[in-house]
């Protein structure tokens, strides 16, 4: 029970740190350059791709099976794709900055739930994998925190309220982490399935959201450089942690 509480608290704090760092950057920079945003988004995508391909998927194959990993990988992609399409459908309606921030925050809360599951399952698979996944998710949450705070700054919302709203978006991580621990402790097959599911979610987020948005922010090579740096950092994390 003590370990469960520690993992849930750790997962929540790590997610909160990444999100709040991003929110703080958005608040104090107010209008960060598109080149910087491209680098940050590309970097987050690179780290995520590296950890998923070279660590998370092999761990899933080892604890479950190759065919089972592929099946749950595809299921994870389909789940997050459906959620993404629903959120994008609402965003197309056209709205002021405040409503855009609300929809972005809602999407962030939805994303933070499976992120909590990822961290919970990863800690069950091994402390080092859990630590790696926590770091990568914290990095991934930085641009999301910026995405929530920037429209609110344009709407002239008080800084204290912006940070409070962003803080709330990190809360679903705790629930997801608890569920991930529960699922991961049932059996190795369930744990492998959850890791594959998480891999699919993260692959879609990196390839379907972070990389395209990085390219949209800046047409130059800034996003590519950020992504390559992220991949290298991911490999170093796998080797050293």
């Amino acid at each position: 029970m003590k370990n469960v509480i520690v993992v849930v608290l750790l997962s929540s704090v790590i997610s909160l740190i990444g999100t709040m760092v991003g929110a703080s950057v958005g608040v104090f920079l107010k209008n960060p350059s598109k080149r910087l945003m491209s680098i940050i988004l590309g970097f987050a995508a690179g780290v995520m791709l590296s950890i998923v391909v070279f660590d998370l998927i092999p761990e899933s194959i080892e604890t479950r099976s190759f065919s089972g990993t592929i099946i749950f990988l595809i299921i994870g992609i389909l789940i997050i794709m459906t959620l993404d399409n629903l959120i994008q459908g609402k965003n197309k309606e056209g709205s002021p900055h405040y409503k855009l921030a609300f929809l972005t925050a809602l999407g962030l809360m939805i994303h933070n739930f499976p992120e909590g599951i990822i961290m919970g399952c990863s800690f069950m698979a091994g402390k080092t994998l859990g630590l790696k996944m926590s770091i990568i998710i914290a990095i991934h949450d930085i641009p999301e925190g910026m995405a929530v705070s920037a429209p609110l700054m344009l709407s002239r919302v008080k800084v204290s309220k912006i940070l409070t709203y962003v803080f709330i978006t990190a809360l679903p991580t705790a629930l997801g982490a608890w569920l991930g621990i529960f699922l991961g402790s049932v059996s190795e097959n369930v744990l492998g399935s959850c890791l594959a599911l998480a891999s699919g979610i993260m692959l879609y987020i990196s390839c379907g959201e972070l990389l395209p948005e990085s390219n949209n922010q800046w047409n130059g090579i800034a996003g590519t450089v950020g992504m390559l740096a992220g991949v290298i950092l991911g490999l170093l994390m796998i080797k050293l942690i």
Side-chain angles (χ1 to χ4, degrees), residues 21-228:
V21 166
S24 299
V25 171
V27 166
F28 293 110
L29 290 183
K30 295 184 179 180
N31 188 24
S33 69
K34 291 188 175 182
R35 178 181 290 179
L36 176 60
M37 283 299 300
S38 178
I39 292 173
I40 293 174
L41 291 167
F43 181 76
V47 176
M48 185 174 291
L49 283 172
S50 184
I51 297 295
V52 169
V53 173
F54 298 115
D55 201 353
L56 201 59
I57 291 178
E59 183 71 28
S60 174
I61 293 174
E62 184 177 337
T63 54
R64 201 188 194 294
S65 67
F66 180 79
S67 58
T69 297
I70 295 298
I71 291 172
F72 280 93
L73 183 75
I74 294 173
I75 292 174
I77 292 173
L78 292 175
I79 289 173
I80 195 66
M81 185 185 298
T82 301
L83 291 174
D84 187 43
N85 286 334
L86 289 174
I87 294 170
Q88 286 184 3
K90 292 182 178 180
N91 272 315
K92 287 178 181 178
E93 295 175 1
S95 57
H97 297 303
Y98 195 88
K99 185 176 181 182
L100 174 60
F102 172 77
L103 291 173
T104 305
L106 179 62
L108 179 56
M109 292 179 73
I110 293 173
H111 282 160
N112 279 343
F113 180 71
E115 284 177 359
I117 295 177
I118 292 168
M119 285 191 277
C121 288
S122 298
F123 274 108
M124 290 304 300
K127 292 182 179 179
T128 57
L129 181 58
L131 183 58
K132 293 171 191 173
M133 295 309 301
S134 298
I135 293 173
I136 183 181
I137 287 174
I139 294 172
H140 163 243
D141 284 343
I142 292 176
E144 291 187 344
M146 295 177 68
V148 175
S149 62
L152 290 175
M153 285 298 298
L154 292 174
S155 298
R156 301 186 182 278
V157 177
K158 291 182 179 179
V159 172
S160 59
K161 287 187 176 181
I162 293 175
L163 296 178
T164 300
Y165 295 153
V166 174
F167 175 82
I168 293 173
T169 65
L171 296 181
T173 305
L175 181 59
W178 179 86
L179 181 59
I181 293 169
F182 171 76
L183 293 174
S185 63
V186 174
S187 70
E188 283 199 354
N189 278 338
V190 173
L191 175 59
S193 299
C194 289
L195 292 175
L197 196 72
S199 297
I201 292 172
M202 294 175 69
L203 280 176
Y204 182 84
I205 291 174
S206 59
C207 297
E209 294 184 6
L210 293 177
L211 287 177
E213 185 59 30
S214 174
N215 292 329
N216 287 336
Q217 290 292 323
W218 189 258
N219 291 326
I221 64 171
T224 301
V225 172
M227 183 195 69
L228 294 175

